[in-house]
Amino acid sequence: MSDRRPHDIPRLTRQFLMPGDFLSHAPCGQGHINDTYEVRISQAGTPVRYIIQRINHAIFTRPDLVMENIRRVTGHIADKLHGENLTEVYRRVLTLVPCRDGRAWHADADGNHWRAYLYVEGAEAHSHVNSPALAREAAKSFGRFQHLLADLPLPRLADTIPHFHHTRSRYDALMHAAEEDRAGRRAAVAAELDWCRAREAAVDVLLDAHAAGLLPERITHNDTKINNVMIDHQTGEGICIMDLDTVMPGLALYDFGDLVRTTTISTAEDEQDTSLVEMRLPMFQALVEGYLSTAKSFLTPAEIGQLAFAGKLITLETGLRFLTDHLNGDLYFKTKRPGHNLDRFRVQARLVESIEKQHDAMQAVVARAGA
Ligand code: GN1
Ligand code: MG
């Protein structure tokens, strides 16, 4: 179904259990996939904020499974945090706001699926990391998130996007897109494709280790971008993990890898001057320390041994995905300018190279912290 009509947010707001009078709404967040709005409701004169989000059903083709995963995951975490007698649990885990008819989401007449959350006040998501303290907090929070979900009761969570971090499939999809050359862009990216081919061996490393029984399947977030953790204004603590659409079975290293990709990088993901892109070792060190502070109790030595490689792999994988989308004509990720996905690919490629150059130093950091 198409999504061409402007979203009538005031009307949508009335579908959810948000008592009060509608005040205003504004787009919010930096996501490349869903449409996110902040709404303000007046409750007896006090403005209260909520988040309303359209699930991109071209990408999440089973929004029902996404919502069932999120309902279980947020409910489990909230129960555990209450069990620890923590205060402000509604700020420490996302809280779904149900619809007036009791459902967890609203399907509109255009075939769009909408859900709502309480707004996490007194905190913000950062799109760039300027201090090791922030990197440490983010990694600590994602480690805690994995830990909290380690005892989620069966059944297994649904694979909302099958093969999401199956890097071999991502590589094959790129080669397929190059073969098809739907947007007529292949000739112009011949050098980029060669760069990817030269790194093909990397795509199987974690998959092979998993198949050999060395890396266990866990419940993972799978989209641990730095802007998916809310940092508390007062304490600087990573207080709440957001963007739960891809929480599903995965490898812990995928989560750590995407933290490396988005936190150690010296620039934005789409920086046009790629000479500025590098992997910042102090940030990597902070990530390793922060992650191990909450995840060491359950990680295996094989997982700890691949922390540095995971950063390279997920950066490479995300690069493959950006280049694939460029070749397909920019159908998947939202873009703001021509060549945007190609710019994103080039940044990932420079970051991979920077990680390759600093491999030994990164391994030494892991060895020190993991010992
Ligand atoms: C997408 O929408 P956002 O920014 O949270 C993507 C991630 C990529 C990321 C790259 C469902 O996440 O996998 O790593 O862009 N999400 C999906 O910036 O594909
Ligand atoms: Mg996301």
Side-chain angles (χ1 to χ4, degrees):
M1 295 292 283
S2 73
D3 176 47
R4 278 182 221 113
R5 276 195 266 171
H7 302 140
D8 186 346
I9 302 300
R11 190 156 166 263
L12 275 162
T13 301
R14 290 198 291 277
Q15 302 297 327
F16 292 95
L17 207 55
M18 295 180 184
D21 300 315
F22 182 86
L23 290 174
S24 62
H25 74 278
C28 122
Q30 318 266 329
H32 298 340
I33 310 287
N34 293 325
D35 300 318
T36 310
Y37 301 89
E38 162 192 328
V39 302
R40 276 172 196 264
I41 310 271
S42 167
Q43 291 177 0
T46 303
V48 177
R49 292 198 277 186
Y50 294 92
I51 292 291
I52 289 194
Q53 207 170 33
R54 185 183 80 92
I55 305 171
N56 183 332
H57 57 271
I59 289 173
F60 294 101
T61 54
R62 291 288 307 272
D64 55 327
L65 297 183
V66 170
M67 293 308 295
E68 178 57 11
N69 278 2
I70 293 179
R71 191 191 62 74
R72 288 178 58 199
V73 161
T74 54
H76 182 76
I77 294 180
D79 285 349
K80 291 189 73 166
L81 298 181
H82 281 297
E84 290 175 27
N85 286 323
L86 282 174
T87 57
E88 300 192 334
V89 168
Y90 59 91
R91 294 182 68 234
R92 297 178 189 275
V93 58
L94 287 181
T95 307
L96 282 167
V97 177
C99 293
R100 288 185 194 279
D101 64 9
R103 289 176 202 240
W105 78 93
H106 168 69
D108 72 14
D110 294 330
N112 293 310
H113 292 70
W114 297 85
R115 46 117 186 274
Y117 289 116
L118 297 185
Y119 195 97
V120 177
E121 294 291 350
E124 73 186 300
H126 297 255
S127 47
H128 187 70
V129 172
N130 285 321
S131 74
L134 179 53
R136 188 173 288 109
E137 270 306 313
K140 203 169 142 185
S141 304
F142 279 110
R144 190 188 308 123
F145 183 83
Q146 290 179 339
H147 195 197
L148 284 164
L149 290 173
D151 61 350
L152 183 78
L154 290 170
R156 191 173 178 272
L157 289 178
D159 289 296
T160 49
I161 302 184
H163 286 135
F164 191 61
H165 282 301
H166 195 283
T167 317
R168 164 57 60 185
S169 303
R170 298 296 189 179
Y171 181 87
D172 291 348
L174 172 64
M175 293 305 146
H176 182 69
E179 215 165 281
E180 281 198 328
D181 197 18
R182 272 200 257 174
R185 295 172 175 173
R186 179 179 57 200
V189 297
E192 283 79 2
L193 285 167
D194 283 343
W195 184 95
C196 295
R197 285 191 195 96
R199 284 161 181 81
E200 182 178 356
V203 308
D204 295 316
V205 172
L206 297 191
L207 292 169
D208 288 349
H210 173 57
L214 293 170
L215 303 174
E217 178 178 283
R218 302 186 185 281
I219 296 173
T220 50
H221 182 279
N222 294 304
D223 188 10
T224 56
K225 273 167 100 157
I226 183 66
N227 64 10
N228 280 336
V229 52
M230 297 289 278
I231 304 293
D232 187 284
H233 285 151
Q234 304 249 302
T235 62
E237 181 195 1
I239 186 120
C240 186
I241 300 292
M242 304 192 295
D243 196 358
L244 307 177
D245 294 331
T246 52
V247 178
M248 57 184 159
L251 301 186
L253 289 166
Y254 297 149
D255 283 358
F256 188 77
D258 210 30
L259 275 167
V260 175
R261 180 181 81 83
T262 60
T263 300
T264 69
I265 189 168
S266 51
T267 66
E269 179 182 74
D270 57 357
E271 170 62 52
Q272 285 173 288
D273 180 355
T274 56
S275 71
L276 301 175
V277 178
E278 60 170 358
M279 197 288 298
R280 296 172 297 174
L281 196 62
M283 301 301 176
F284 179 74
Q285 183 175 339
L287 282 182
V288 171
E289 290 166 1
Y291 185 56
L292 291 182
S293 75
T294 47
K296 202 173 179 178
S297 63
F298 63 85
L299 292 176
T300 65
E303 286 174 310
I304 294 177
Q306 295 283 28
L307 289 175
F309 175 75
K312 170 176 161 171
L313 181 79
I314 294 299
T315 308
L316 172 64
E317 179 188 283
T318 309
L320 300 175
R321 295 175 64 196
F322 287 143
L323 189 56
T324 303
D325 201 30
H326 176 72
L327 284 164
N328 285 340
D330 305 315
L331 304 174
Y332 187 96
F333 298 103
K334 289 181 187 173
T335 52
K336 292 196 175 128
R337 55 178 188 256
H340 203 168
N341 274 315
L342 183 56
D343 290 343
R344 289 169 175 152
F345 165 80
R346 288 183 172 142
V347 170
Q348 307 313 302
R350 293 297 85 74
L351 186 58
V352 166
E353 289 169 357
S354 180
I355 292 174
E356 287 169 349
K357 276 192 214 121
Q358 300 181 74
H359 174 266
D360 292 351
M362 291 169 82
Q363 284 296 72
V365 164
V366 174
R368 269 201 307 277

